[in-house]
Amino acid sequence: MTSTEAPALKRTIPPSEFDIGTPVEWMVDPDRRETILGVTYEFSQTGERKTVWYTPNKRRAKKALVLSKLTQA
């Protein structure tokens, strides 16, 4: 049975509470610097940092060069 009293797509988190991470560090392959292995995001409201790995097994790379600024060559 469907309730008609509440909107179907009611927002559960107010827009002011969204905490989108900003990239602060990039882990790149030391031999092929154009290959990004992971990115560390920092969340503005909590200050928490989370690293996301883009390796095939989604785990920490054995060798990675950490960059705080990503530039194009």
Side-chain angles (χ1 to χ4, degrees), residues 39-53:
V39 178
T40 299
Y41 296 92
E42 184 174 69
F43 296 90
S44 60
Q45 291 182 2
T46 62
E48 179 185 8
R49 285 186 170 202
K50 177 159 177 62
T51 300
V52 178
W53 292 97

Side-chain angles (χ1 to χ4, degrees), residues 20-26 36 38-44 49-50 54 67-70:
I20 299 172
T22 304
V24 292
E25 290 180 341
W26 292 263
I36 297 175
V39 178
T40 299
Y41 296 92
E42 184 174 69
F43 296 90
S44 60
R49 285 186 170 202
K50 177 159 177 62
Y54 300 114
L67 304 174
S68 58
K69 198 177 255 191
L70 192 62

Side-chain angles (χ1 to χ4, degrees), residues 27-30 37 53 61-66:
M27 282 63 75
V28 297
D29 187 330
L37 301 173
W53 292 97
K62 291 181 180 175
K63 288 181 9 181
L65 179 65
V66 179

Side-chain angles (χ1 to χ4, degrees), residues 2 5 7 9-10 42 60 62 65 69-71:
T2 304
E5 294 178 14
L9 298 175
K10 185 176 180 183
E42 184 174 69
R60 181 182 308 263
K62 291 181 180 175
L65 179 65
K69 198 177 255 191
L70 192 62
T71 59

